[in-house]
């Protein structure tokens, strides 16, 4: 082939509407997500971060377990024989997992500030894998804390519920799923707002009433009427009831399905919003 033939030969073109990753035909979404999750988890494995991550649930457990124990067995579900700590431990778990989920939005904001996301946008990878990896990394951090809560509650307060080990494991997994689902709210907010200060204010504004205007620490029956309505409508109350049922060995399918269903709806609504906003960054 001469130089003239080479210059006049038709050149390969990029198909319209086909992303670079599809043209490349590289790794799958699962491979990309696992690799990016490992990258996001790596900072959490530093000794200092591991210690602080361990101390957070310890402080909550000591504070609520010691100070609020004066309230007596007011958080246990009606009809159960749960002690205060057996009713409190699931509440600490759900608070821990939701707080870890809220950190997912801040993690995405930090990546935006460090131009990491800009580099990701130049790579032939799925944009959604970046968001999914962010949520899974904070879920892994949450799992570490949830296990710490269960172990510390057993060692310090003698947490030994009627549901046994399987009830505790089920409670941990349900709490983990709820926290992961809620992390998509904050990831969507981070992708839309792209402002860490505003995100932190909204996170505090959302999580504080969501966690405390619930049946986490006191029974709704003891609350003022208006707050009782809020607590009974709060999805965190349903999650608490489902988890307490597990540790009590009295799992309620209705409460479990409601908690899982609400969590799935959150993901179905927030994940597309986050993905769409993230694509236009």
């Amino acid at each position: 082939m001469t130089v003239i033939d080479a210059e006049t030969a038709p050149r390969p073109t990029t198909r319209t509407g086909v992303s670079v990753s599809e043209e490349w035909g590289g790794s799958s979404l699962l491979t990309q997500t696992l690799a990016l999750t490992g990258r996001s988890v790596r900072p959490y494995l530093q000794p200092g971060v591991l210690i602080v991550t361990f101390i957070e649930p310890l402080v909550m457990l000591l504070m609520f377990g010691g100070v609020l124990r004066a309230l007596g067995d007011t958080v246990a579900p009606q009809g159960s024989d749960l002690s205060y700590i057996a009713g409190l431990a699931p509440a600490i778990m759900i608070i821990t997992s939701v707080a870890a989920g809220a950190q997912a939005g801040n993690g995405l904001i930090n990546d935006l500030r460090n131009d990491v996301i800009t580099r990701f946008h130049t790579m032939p990878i799925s944009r959604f894998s970046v968001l999914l990896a962010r949520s899974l990394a904070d879920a892994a951090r949450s799992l570490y804390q949830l296990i710490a809560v269960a172990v510390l509650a057993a060692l310090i307060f003698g947490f030994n519920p009627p549901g046994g080990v399987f009830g505790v494991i089920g409670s941990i997994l349900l709490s983990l799923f709820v926290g992961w689902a809620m992390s998509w709210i904050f990831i969507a907010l981070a992708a839309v707002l792209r402002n860490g200060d505003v995100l932190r204010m909204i996170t505090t504004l959302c999580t504080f009433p969501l966690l405390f205007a619930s049946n986490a620490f006191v029974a709704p029956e003891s609350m003022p009427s208006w707050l009782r309505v809020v607590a009974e409508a709060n999805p965190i109350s349903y999650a608490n009831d489902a988890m307490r049922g597990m540790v009590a060995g009295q799992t309620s399918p209705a409460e479990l399905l409601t908690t899982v269903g609400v969590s799935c709806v959150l993901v179905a609504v927030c994940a597309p919003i986050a993905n769409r906003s993230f694509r236009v960054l």
Side-chain angles (χ1 to χ4, degrees), residues 109 132 166 191 194 276:
I109 291 291
L132 186 58
F166 292 108
R194 308 170 200 178
R276 184 180 179 84

Side-chain angles (χ1 to χ4, degrees), residues 37-55 114 137 141 144:
T37 301
R39 168 201 164 272
S40 298
V41 166
R42 208 166 296 128
Y44 295 150
L45 299 179
Q46 297 176 8
V49 178
L50 282 176
I51 293 173
V52 172
T53 304
F54 180 80
I55 289 176
N114 296 331
R141 176 173 174 267
Y144 168 65

Side-chain angles (χ1 to χ4, degrees), residues 131 187-189 191-192 267-279:
L131 301 178
I187 290 175
L189 286 172
V192 172
V267 176
V269 172
C270 296
I273 295 174
N275 190 37
R276 184 180 179 84
S277 302
F278 189 64
R279 282 177 177 273

Side-chain angles (χ1 to χ4, degrees), residues 6 8 19 22 94 113 137 149 158 217:
T8 56
S19 66
E22 290 171 331
I94 199 71
R113 286 177 175 171
V149 169
F217 302 110

Side-chain angles (χ1 to χ4, degrees), residues 14 25 51 83 102 122 177 185 207 214 221 230 252 254 273 275 277 281:
T14 301
I51 293 173
S83 62
T122 63
F177 183 68
I185 297 177
T207 55
S214 68
E221 291 77 11
V230 175
S252 168
I273 295 174
N275 190 37
S277 302
L281 285 176

Side-chain angles (χ1 to χ4, degrees), residues 131-165:
L131 301 178
L132 186 58
R134 183 74 263 167
S135 69
L136 293 177
D138 285 280
R141 176 173 174 267
S142 176
L143 178 61
Y144 168 65
Q145 290 184 310
L146 292 173
I147 294 173
V149 169
V151 173
L152 290 172
L155 294 177
I156 300 174
F157 295 102
F159 177 51
N160 185 21
V165 175

Side-chain angles (χ1 to χ4, degrees), residues 27-47:
S27 58
S28 64
L29 176 65
L30 176 62
T31 304
Q32 295 170 15
T33 303
L34 290 176
L36 292 171
T37 301
R39 168 201 164 272
S40 298
V41 166
R42 208 166 296 128
Y44 295 150
L45 299 179
Q46 297 176 8

